[in-house]
Amino acid sequence: MTQVDPDQGVYGISVAAELVEMGAQTLRQYEARGLLEPDRTAGGTRRYSPNDLDRLRRIAGLLDAGVNLAGIGMVFDLERQNHDLTEQNTRLRAMRGAAMTPDESDTTNHADAAGEADLLDQAADLPGDEDDDYPLGDPDPPQAPG
DNA sequence: CTTCTGACA
DNA sequence: TGTCAGCA
């Protein structure tokens, strides 16, 4: 049986917009905001995957909950970081359980010191490898009167 | 179909 | 702020 890749873009923007009950312009806007990145054909037209449609429905839900588009972008980024960190966590746990015997808690000579340091480096780099998108720096919003 | 700009609540 | 209409 040929299983369908849920990440594979199949729907054109009009079909996708109808399926999620949004305007096509709105879908383009979400992509411009970085909330979505549907596939593109060689000609440059968007192809939305089933996962993209789920993402669009989640955007609608978050908007309905009162989260603005900027906040939704933060939610998605945090979800990705959470996913990556969880993955690294399970790998670290698995490796430590396999490589260490009770007597070998010797601090001087770890057989897998190199590999362990490598994983630790990856874990440490995770939050930063996403170039700092949301500085959260200026607390005062630049707002024009009227 | 694409990007871009402006208007409305 | 988010959505929609019109243009090229």
Side-chain angles (χ1 to χ4, degrees):
Chain A
M1 286 295 283
T2 65
Q3 286 294 344
V4 177
D5 184 359
D7 284 325
Q8 198 69 31
V10 284
Y11 309 106
I13 190 171
S14 288
V15 176
E18 178 138 2
L19 287 175
V20 298
E21 296 176 299
M22 297 175 179
Q25 196 72 227
T26 304
L27 268 55
R28 296 192 189 98
Q29 193 69 19
Y30 291 165
E31 182 180 356
R33 296 293 190 112
L35 303 182
L36 209 62
E37 199 159 336
D39 290 344
R40 296 276 185 152
T41 66
T45 65
R46 296 171 174 81
R47 285 290 124 95
Y48 289 83
S49 71
N51 274 353
D52 289 331
L53 299 187
D54 285 342
R55 214 171 166 80
L56 287 169
R57 297 189 185 97
R58 296 197 52 218
I59 293 173
L62 288 168
L63 282 174
D64 188 66
V67 185
N68 63 17
L69 293 181
I72 294 175
M74 292 176 164
V75 170
F76 287 167
D77 276 0
L78 287 173
E79 282 180 349
R80 163 133 226 98
Q81 291 174 21
N82 190 316
H83 172 81
D84 291 344
L85 286 172
T86 301
E87 221 170 48
Q88 292 293 337
N89 195 335
T90 57
R91 288 183 57 191
L92 284 168
R93 286 176 180 275
M95 201 192 71
R96 197 168 55 172
M100 217 166 56
T101 68
D103 276 339
E104 283 171 353
S105 21
D106 195 341
T107 53
T108 51
N109 198 4
H110 288 275
D112 282 338
E116 185 167 351
D118 207 40
L119 275 185
L120 288 174
D121 274 352
Q122 291 181 34
D125 284 347
L126 260 181
D129 70 2
E130 224 116 350
D131 32 335
D132 42 3
D133 283 344
Y134 308 104
L136 300 179
D138 303 355
D140 52 325
Q143 199 165 0

